[in-house]
Amino acid sequence: MADQAFVTLATHDNYARGAMVLGKSLRNHNTSKKLVALIGPQVSEPCQSVLRKIYDEVRPVDVLDSGDTAHLAMMKRPDLGVTLTKLHCWTLTHYSKCVFMDADTLVLSNIDELFDREELSAAPDPGWPDCFNSGVFVFCPSMETYGKLLQYCTEHGSFDGGDQGVLNGFFSNWATADISKHLPFIYNLSSIAIYTYLPAFKQFGSSAKVVHFLGKTKPWSYTFDITAKRITGSVPEASTHSTFLLDWWTLYSSAVVPMLHEHYGEQPFHSGCVESRCCDTVTFESVQDEGHSSHAQVSSQPELSSVERKEKWEQGQADYMGMDSFDNIKRKLDSFLK
């Protein structure tokens, strides 16, 4: 339907690149819906131009210049600047229903069926399942709702400092009122939550429709060797969602980077893509089933002492794809029990 749309937000160029990949992934899976990108004032002109090629509508938003109500909320709650910007999605009243998706999400199959859901439908957050994760949610644009949300921000703020705290506070009966508004986890599969329940991921992971790159480290934080299809980075998360990272970088390097080059022209910019070069790498295979068994590579890491390994475990940074892999742990337990 022409009055339904997927909506995302890019506050600066890195998130704009995420939005480009998200938009391309939606197009590649033949969505019939409109695509809308809300962009902040820090998004550069070349990135805006690329977004306009992918999205049906690219709308600049700036809380400080968005009208008296938003301005008042911003003055009282300056800590919620980006959150208030995200709430602009409720002002898209030329659409009857929308699905908001964070720019760090990637669509793996057609998800137009989400428009059969009502406001506010969302998937549970893996950290606290009685809260929904605000990376993917169904909503109905309304200036009345927008005003009430801004008023809620002004009076209550956010219990987590971001939009998720605001929205869970405002839609406070999500956990208990209507189970039909609970989206299955496959519509917002958090990449860093995979190994908290590895058997379930092995059982259901191949059905994932949207992957969400939660955490401080985003796909664009890495470097990608195009010819070797190798992802490199000094951050520990590189091994915890390797297949999904490879999907993201493959789409970004093939479909988005050429468009960026076209619009940057002679201006230098860092795409994150490199050619093959000699370096020590370790190859690992995804834990997903045979239907999605991509391979990727990350930089090899120096072997850790037992004390360092213990510290990594305590920080939630176990080497899930290497020494601390599910299969290795199982082998050690089996040998101990024997």
Side-chain angles (χ1 to χ4, degrees):
M1 294 176 65
D3 66 340
Q4 296 182 340
F6 286 101
V7 181
T8 193
L9 168 67
T11 51
H12 50 70
D13 279 4
N14 280 337
Y15 274 88
R17 294 182 190 191
M20 294 168 199
V21 174
L22 169 61
K24 279 290 188 181
S25 69
L26 284 161
R27 296 285 189 206
N28 287 351
H29 293 294
N30 302 314
T31 181
S32 63
K33 311 302 179 183
K34 297 288 187 181
L35 302 188
V36 179
L38 305 178
I39 59 169
Q42 294 181 330
V43 176
S44 67
E45 188 54 46
C47 284
Q48 290 186 39
S49 298
V50 174
L51 285 170
R52 290 190 189 100
K53 285 194 167 184
I54 299 171
Y55 284 78
D56 298 293
E57 182 179 353
V58 177
R59 174 177 289 205
V61 289
D62 186 348
V63 169
L64 292 175
D65 297 320
S66 59
D68 290 343
T69 311
H71 185 78
L72 178 63
M74 183 66 178
M75 292 302 97
K76 291 185 178 179
R77 302 295 311 198
D79 54 310
L80 297 179
V82 174
T83 293
L84 289 167
T85 305
K86 186 171 182 176
L87 298 182
H88 271 84
C89 65
W90 265 272
T91 68
L92 300 170
T93 52
H94 47 301
Y95 299 105
S96 63
K97 187 180 289 185
C98 297
V99 174
F100 186 91
M101 303 187 72
D102 277 349
D104 58 350
T105 57
L106 176 70
V107 172
L108 306 176
S109 64
N110 187 286
I111 55 171
D112 285 0
E113 68 272 14
L114 286 178
F115 289 85
D116 296 333
R117 303 280 184 149
E118 300 303 319
E119 180 178 84
L120 185 288
S121 292
D125 188 85
W128 192 265
D130 279 347
C131 292
F132 58 83
N133 182 278
S134 60
V136 178
F137 62 85
V138 183
F139 71 100
C140 296
S142 159
M143 291 306 296
E144 180 183 0
T145 304
Y146 176 64
K148 288 179 178 177
L149 279 163
L150 292 178
Q151 183 180 357
Y152 183 90
C153 282
T154 302
E155 295 176 357
H156 303 284
S158 167
F159 67 75
D160 69 355
D163 60 274
Q164 185 159 306
V166 168
L167 292 175
N168 273 277
F170 186 80
F171 296 98
S172 58
N173 66 350
W174 174 86
T176 56
D178 185 354
I179 194 68
S180 70
K181 295 182 180 180
H182 290 212
L183 297 181
F185 195 53
I186 59 169
Y187 289 105
N188 191 353
L189 178 67
S190 112
S191 57
I192 60 173
I194 289 169
Y195 289 92
T196 59
Y197 194 3
L198 185 57
F201 179 70
K202 286 187 171 182
Q203 178 72 16
F204 304 114
S206 61
S207 301
K209 295 196 169 196
V210 178
V211 61
H212 188 183
F213 296 97
L214 280 174
K216 291 182 179 179
T217 308
K218 301 303 180 186
W220 50 83
S221 305
Y222 301 92
T223 301
F224 181 61
D225 186 324
I226 301 172
T227 51
K229 295 195 182 302
R230 182 174 59 242
I231 298 161
T232 57
S234 60
V235 283
E237 296 100 320
S239 61
T240 62
H241 43 241
S242 59
T243 299
F244 297 131
L245 273 177
L246 188 60
D247 289 342
W248 191 96
W249 272 100
T250 300
L251 181 54
Y252 171 71
S253 61
S254 64
V256 172
V257 170
M259 297 172 73
L260 286 169
H261 276 297
E262 178 186 344
H263 286 279
Y264 272 97
E266 297 300 317
Q267 298 178 55
F269 80 99
H270 180 58
S271 68
C273 297
V274 297
E275 297 298 326
S276 289
R277 60 181 183 270
C278 294
C279 61
D280 293 329
T281 59
V282 56
T283 305
F284 56 80
E285 187 173 345
S286 165
V287 296
Q288 289 181 273
D289 69 3
E290 294 175 359
H292 201 66
S293 58
S294 300
H295 293 254
Q297 296 177 322
V298 293
S299 300
S300 60
Q301 300 294 326
E303 191 169 334
L304 300 175
S305 68
S306 59
V307 174
E308 288 172 325
R309 267 187 81 199
K310 181 182 177 185
E311 288 176 352
K312 288 288 186 183
W313 269 90
E314 289 171 347
Q315 294 166 9
Q317 297 176 2
D319 181 15
Y320 293 117
M321 301 305 296
M323 190 177 291
D324 304 317
S325 70
F326 180 83
D327 290 336
N328 279 348
I329 292 172
K330 185 175 182 297
R331 274 195 294 271
K332 287 200 172 187
L333 285 172
D334 287 345
S335 62
F336 175 78
L337 292 172
K338 286 177 182 177

